[in-house]
Amino acid sequence: MNKKVIVPPIKSQGIKTKLVPWINDTILQSGIDIENANWIEPFFGTGVVGLNSPVQGRHIVSDTNPHIINLYNSIKDGSITEYNMRAYLEREGKVLEQADENGYEYYREVKNRFNRDHSPFDFIFLSRAGFNGMMRFNKKGQWNIPFCQKPNRFAPAYISKICNQIASAEKIIRKGDWQFLNQGFIDTINMAKVGDIIYCDPPYFGRYVDYYNGWTEEDEEALFAALMCTPAHFILSTWHHNEFRENEMMNRFWNRFNVLTQEHYYHGGGHIENRHPMVEALVFNFDLQEPQYQEEAQQLELLFA
Ligand SMILES: C[S@@+](CC[C@H](N)C(=O)[O-])C[C@H]1O[C@@H](n2cnc3c(N)ncnc32)[C@H](O)[C@@H]1O
């Protein structure tokens, strides 16, 4: 599938932009009725997978991070548009550029304001002016990423890029039937019905941890139990191994389903493991119709007809 991937307006270290074509190919090879299936996504994150999903039914997506859900609900109800975001970023970008300490002082001010008022405009500002496009919250649930050190961060071209991303997200949301919920994954998985597709991208066990991304063995087990019982189709993204270690959860829970793997580099984050390739896995509970083999079989049939 070669369609251009829509990039969302927020960033995070776990963003799956590069894996979207692989996830979509897997869905398209599943034989699932994508015109009627609902898309259920309990770990929405930046939203890049759901926004690019080929599934055309309702989209029920959720995250325990209220700021993500608040942002997308604001885009849905029109209180955030590409136009008011442009006005906001032009104004704030100018203040940042002229602020003391090369912008540090103003970044801190916006950070404090966001931690107090939780404005989705400030959420975009911090996501795009924070270090390395990372998203992290401390134990009190407060934004915890340092400044990217670029006082001229919001140059006109960068503002246009962000506003175009808002416009693309808005177009997709307006054209479909979207529900954005601030709730835990079990409640969302339980909303899936026969024929729907659940896409899960939980925090990776044994890897990143912050306030909204804590993930224990018990969580993984609860996810396994929920996916084991669902009447819907599911795809789970997880890590398989890297050159340092294997994901022990594969053997414990996931190897009993179908598994595909692919090497992937993550960008961003200070962790040494992130500078090495990671073998990603897609775990799913349906069979693939393999088009390349079907094509070969048809050619052989023609040859021997
Ligand atoms: C790996 S990220 C998802 C990344 C996303 N697929 C993307 O490409 O941007 C995991 C998300 O799960 C959310 N999360 C963590 N624990 C959760 C829970 N118990 N229930 C629902 N969401 C949770 C986090 O806030 C985070 O946004």
Side-chain angles (χ1 to χ4, degrees):
M1 197 180 154
N2 292 320
K3 229 178 104 200
K4 198 165 171 277
V5 175
I6 302 287
V7 178
I10 41 173
K11 299 200 157 285
S12 100
Q13 53 278 29
I15 191 166
K16 288 288 187 297
T17 316
K18 293 228 172 95
L19 297 183
V20 163
W22 184 37
I23 295 166
N24 285 351
D25 279 346
T26 306
I27 294 167
L28 294 175
Q29 285 179 45
S30 68
I32 294 170
D33 175 9
I34 56 167
E35 283 181 20
N36 293 304
N38 299 314
W39 176 262
I40 314 290
E41 188 174 351
F43 305 92
F44 196 54
T46 64
V48 73
V49 182
L51 290 173
N52 287 285
S53 147
V55 172
Q56 288 162 33
R58 292 179 67 206
H59 288 68
I60 301 171
V61 304
S62 68
D63 203 290
T64 43
N65 182 330
H67 310 298
I68 291 174
I69 298 304
N70 192 17
L71 170 71
Y72 279 107
N73 271 326
S74 303
I75 294 176
K76 180 180 164 181
D77 70 20
S79 49
I80 282 193
T81 64
E82 60 177 308
Y83 307 107
N84 61 13
M85 183 56 74
R86 179 178 292 280
Y88 164 87
L89 290 177
E90 281 174 357
R91 191 185 63 234
E92 296 295 307
K94 226 172 251 159
V95 184
L96 181 75
E97 201 172 350
Q98 290 161 5
D100 287 346
E101 300 172 46
N102 277 329
Y104 276 82
E105 191 196 64
Y106 196 61
Y107 181 83
R108 263 198 315 273
E109 196 176 318
V110 178
K111 186 167 101 168
N112 292 339
R113 189 169 75 196
F114 170 75
N115 287 334
R116 192 189 59 223
D117 303 336
H118 307 144
S119 152
F121 286 96
D122 288 342
F123 184 43
I124 293 275
F125 179 102
L126 293 171
S127 174
R128 306 309 290 248
F131 182 72
N132 247 352
M134 289 172 72
M135 189 190 298
R136 194 177 58 216
F137 295 84
N138 66 17
K139 281 189 188 133
K140 291 184 187 156
Q142 298 186 325
W143 183 262
N144 196 24
I145 292 293
F147 183 41
C148 68
Q149 306 181 3
K150 296 177 191 136
N152 59 348
R153 181 54 163 162
F154 294 104
Y158 196 57
I159 292 181
S160 290
K161 186 174 173 179
I162 299 167
C163 293
N164 289 340
Q165 290 165 346
I166 300 261
S168 303
E170 184 187 327
K171 203 166 148 199
I172 293 169
I173 293 165
R174 286 278 164 87
K175 161 172 111 192
D177 178 357
W178 286 75
Q179 212 178 341
F180 299 96
L181 302 168
N182 183 211
Q183 63 184 26
F185 66 94
I186 297 286
D187 290 337
T188 307
I189 290 175
N190 285 342
M191 294 169 85
K193 309 237 165 16
V194 179
D196 292 347
I197 180 146
I198 305 170
Y199 171 69
C200 287
D201 183 16
Y204 286 3
F205 177 72
R207 297 187 59 82
Y208 322 107
V209 175
D210 81 342
Y211 185 76
Y212 295 112
N213 271 304
W215 193 252
T216 64
E217 233 170 302
E218 288 72 38
D219 291 322
E220 190 101 1
E221 190 165 356
L223 178 61
F224 167 72
L227 293 179
M228 198 60 194
C229 300
T230 182
H233 308 286
F234 78 78
I235 298 183
L236 166 79
S237 280
T238 189
W239 66 287
H240 194 272
H241 67 273
N242 61 18
E243 66 187 85
F244 302 99
R245 57 204 174 107
E246 295 196 346
N247 178 2
E248 59 192 273
M249 297 298 144
M250 286 305 303
N251 265 337
R252 231 175 115 191
F253 299 120
W254 306 118
N255 278 340
R256 69 195 74 198
F257 300 105
N258 293 323
V259 178
L260 291 175
T261 57
Q262 194 179 94
E263 203 169 76
H264 179 60
Y265 274 93
Y266 279 95
H267 298 283
H271 206 284
I272 186 165
E273 284 187 63
N274 294 341
R275 287 176 232 138
H276 295 260
M278 158 84 95
V279 175
E280 289 284 323
L282 289 185
V283 177
F284 48 97
N285 65 347
F286 47 82
D287 291 325
L288 293 185
Q289 302 166 355
E290 299 179 54
Q292 72 271 33
Y293 297 135
Q294 282 170 6
E295 224 170 80
E296 276 165 24
Q298 273 166 7
Q299 278 167 3
L300 280 174
E301 263 173 39
L302 283 176
L303 259 178
F304 292 108

